[in-house]
Structures are given as C-alpha cells and as structure tokens.
Amino acid sequence: MAVMPSAALPSPLTPLADPAMERAGLELRLKRDDLIHPTVPGNKWRKLTPNLRAAVEQGHTRLLTFGGAYSNHIRAVAAAGAARGLETVGIIRGDELADAPRNWSLALAESYGMRLSFLDRSGYRETLRSLDDPRTLRGLEARWGRAYVLPEGGTNVLAAQGTADLVAELPDLGARDIVCCAVGTGGTLAGIAAALPEGARALGFAVLKGAGGYLEDEVAELHRRGWGRTFTDWRIEHGYHGGGYGRVPAGLEAFAAGFEERHGVRVERRYVAKMLWGLYGLAEAGALPRGARVTAVITGPPDPEGTG
Ligand SMILES: *Cc1c(COP(=O)(O)O)cnc(C)c1O
C-alpha cells in the first residue's frame, strides 16, 4: 500500500556548472530531494515513509512527536498524518509559545489538524531524554491516547533506513563519488553512508554548534542498531554551522543569495545553505580531491516566501 502516493521519485539529479567547482577540479550535481513531495518534502519524506508504514501495520491511529517552533519535522508529520488519515500530536519546545500568536510553521501544522502542546524547556528536554523509559510513554499515552512516537527530528533506525533509498537513485557510484548532506540529528547521513557502495564516501555538514563527537556517536549508534555494524566511509565537517542552529550569519546569507542568483535554485537556510557553504569552502581550500564527483543532496525546500 502506498503511504503517500503523490511522491515524485526518483527525485531529479541535475548537473551544476560552477566556476568555483571547476577551479577545484570537481564535478557537482544536485540531488533535488526538495522536490519529492509538496507537503512532506525532502529527507522528511524519506524518513517518515517507513515509520508511517510501521505505525499503520502496528494498528496505530495517531502519531506523536516533538520539535521546536519552526521544526520542518513537525510540519512534515502533520502533513503526512493528514495524508494518511492518522491523527497527529506535536509536543513543542517552549511554553511561552502556548498563548503567543502562532508563527507560520505552527499555524501550518495546525491547519493539517495537528494538536499542539507546549512544554517548558526543561520538561521538554526531560521528556525526550527519558523517551525509552516506559513510564514516559505511559504518561504521554495517558494524556493523548495510544500513539506511535517519533523522536525529535524524526530520526530512528527506520528513518535512517528510509534515507538509504536515496543512494539507490544515484547510478554508477564509485570511488570518485562524494555524497554531501546537512546534518541535524545525523539520520540522513547515517542512511546514506550505510548504503554507499565500496569506495564512495559520505560527507555531512553539522548545522549545530559544538556537536563534534556527539553527532558522530549518534550516527555510529544508528549504524549499530540498524545495520549491526559500523562504517568508515563517512565524516562530519563541523566548521560551517554559522554560530549554531537557526543562525544565519551575514557571510552565509551572502553565499546563499549568490548561489540562488547564479543558479536559479532557492536555498533553504538552516540546513541546505550551510551544507553548500561548507562544500564550497572546502572546495576553495583545496580540501576535496581533484577529480571527485560531488552529489549535494538538497534535503528540503526553502521556507515559504515572506516568512523571514
Ligand atoms: C531535518 C532536516 C535536515 C536534517 O536531517 P537529519 O536526518 O536530522 O540529520 C536536513 N535538511 C533539511 C532541509 C531538514 O529539514
């Protein structure tokens, strides 16, 4: 049974001619996962699809998940639940948001029928930290009813395995290939790295500040749980977070605007722009092997126009 039937797969793979890349001896192409689905785009579609299938198979009628005020994951779960006829509950970080006017992202989630609940930051952190404790789940279900629970950002083993499908859409990968993506929780990078053929490499760009070590551990743990082994074909670059999650310093904004202008492709700022910024930074520093073919995964679309 198709979970979200209107997905457009495989997503387009488009070569991109760029003088900066040519100077570095690199071939660049974009994997346009931002175009997969109108309301459940990018890596969120790939991560949610196997989870929705599991939820339905396990007889669930409700999804429950977690996220911040502008979470792409929250909107994607709301839209996917609506498409699949599942109720959705979003637990949102920040109790000050409860009585504030809804921002565009939360308003969109509610328009898909998601019920929102707001937790203060320490309660939110504690709930996420103890998500594997049966008492936490019982507490959530006492309030919301039986639910299929997805962690913040939607990353679990099924999600990582879902992103692995992306690699199957890249023909003829080999030793000269580098596949790049942004890293929030690491689920997408984990799936890509696990699926690559011998010799090809995955390169992730952290969007969080100070996440060195932590994100590597998360990816390795997903590999152990999902594939029963670890992999050595990936690494995470930590120099291009731009000051932290959601921060867009002037240099990053100028880079993203220039890229949009040169290539006519709009660039999502919290993840995709940082990945491209980092990729160009490494290329210009001569830190990528000449002759490599770089596939930059565009993991999601930009925020709607006029949302700041
Ligand atoms: C959520 C998201 C990511 C991060 O993916 P992870 O699997 O959490 O690392 C990257 N890009 C976009 C556009 C996203 O929405």
Side-chain angles (χ1 to χ4, degrees):
M1 177 178 13
V3 175
M4 286 178 274
S6 54
L9 292 171
S11 65
L13 182 63
T14 56
L16 197 82
D18 193 294
M21 290 292 137
E22 279 152 29
R23 277 195 301 277
L26 301 169
E27 183 183 329
L28 175 62
R29 52 192 195 166
L30 305 182
K31 177 65 172 159
R32 296 293 305 274
D33 267 13
D34 53 319
L35 304 176
I36 286 181
H37 193 278
T39 60
V40 190
N43 66 346
K44 301 304 182 281
W45 191 93
R46 296 199 190 266
K47 291 167 74 170
L48 281 172
T49 297
N51 276 292
L52 262 66
R53 192 175 298 124
V56 170
E57 278 168 12
Q58 293 165 25
H60 285 281
T61 58
R62 183 176 297 113
L63 307 171
L64 184 149
T65 195
F66 303 85
Y70 292 94
S71 166
N72 294 342
H73 168 67
I74 286 287
R75 289 196 309 284
V77 169
R84 195 64 190 79
L86 296 167
E87 283 179 35
T88 55
V89 176
I91 312 286
I92 308 300
R93 180 181 59 236
D95 53 350
E96 75 283 359
L97 297 167
D99 301 319
R102 295 285 189 259
N103 68 38
W104 66 270
S105 185
L106 295 176
L108 198 52
E110 275 185 330
S111 77
Y112 289 119
M114 180 177 258
R115 283 180 294 164
L116 301 179
S117 172
F118 298 85
L119 276 187
D120 65 81
R121 284 168 166 68
S122 68
Y124 181 87
R125 213 176 312 118
E126 184 49 32
T127 304
L128 282 184
R129 201 191 55 74
S130 63
L131 216 45
D132 292 335
D133 184 334
R135 283 171 300 184
T136 302
L137 184 60
R138 277 202 297 275
L140 290 167
E141 293 196 331
R143 166 135 187 224
W144 301 105
R146 184 170 177 261
Y148 185 89
V149 176
L150 285 156
E152 187 179 45
T155 287
N156 55 19
V157 163
L158 282 179
Q161 289 170 342
T163 69
D165 288 353
L166 180 166
V167 172
E169 297 175 16
L170 302 174
D172 312 321
L173 288 180
R176 74 185 188 102
D177 281 290
I178 303 172
V179 179
C180 296
C181 67
V183 177
T185 64
T188 303
L189 178 66
I192 291 171
L196 287 176
E198 192 69 32
R201 308 195 54 82
L203 174 58
F205 293 86
V207 305
L208 314 171
K209 182 180 173 180
Y214 164 77
L215 285 174
E216 283 80 358
D217 288 349
E218 294 286 302
V219 171
E221 181 61 18
L222 284 167
H223 283 155
R224 276 190 291 271
R225 282 171 31 222
W227 286 266
R229 54 166 290 197
T230 54
F231 296 84
T232 56
D233 62 347
W234 59 278
R235 76 174 185 88
I236 301 176
E237 169 64 44
H238 289 276
Y240 295 92
H241 53 67
Y245 181 74
R247 300 281 171 83
V248 184
L252 171 58
E253 177 55 37
F255 166 82
F259 185 93
E260 290 179 330
E261 169 128 6
R262 283 198 309 283
H263 299 299
V265 177
R266 289 190 58 222
V267 175
E268 187 274 340
R269 295 296 196 267
R270 272 169 292 163
Y271 296 94
V272 176
K274 291 181 181 181
M275 179 270 294
L276 291 171
W277 192 38
L279 173 58
Y280 276 66
L282 294 183
E284 279 159 17
L288 298 173
R290 293 190 81 81
R293 176 169 66 178
V294 177
T295 305
V297 182
I298 308 301
T299 41
D303 292 347
E305 303 261 16
T307 52

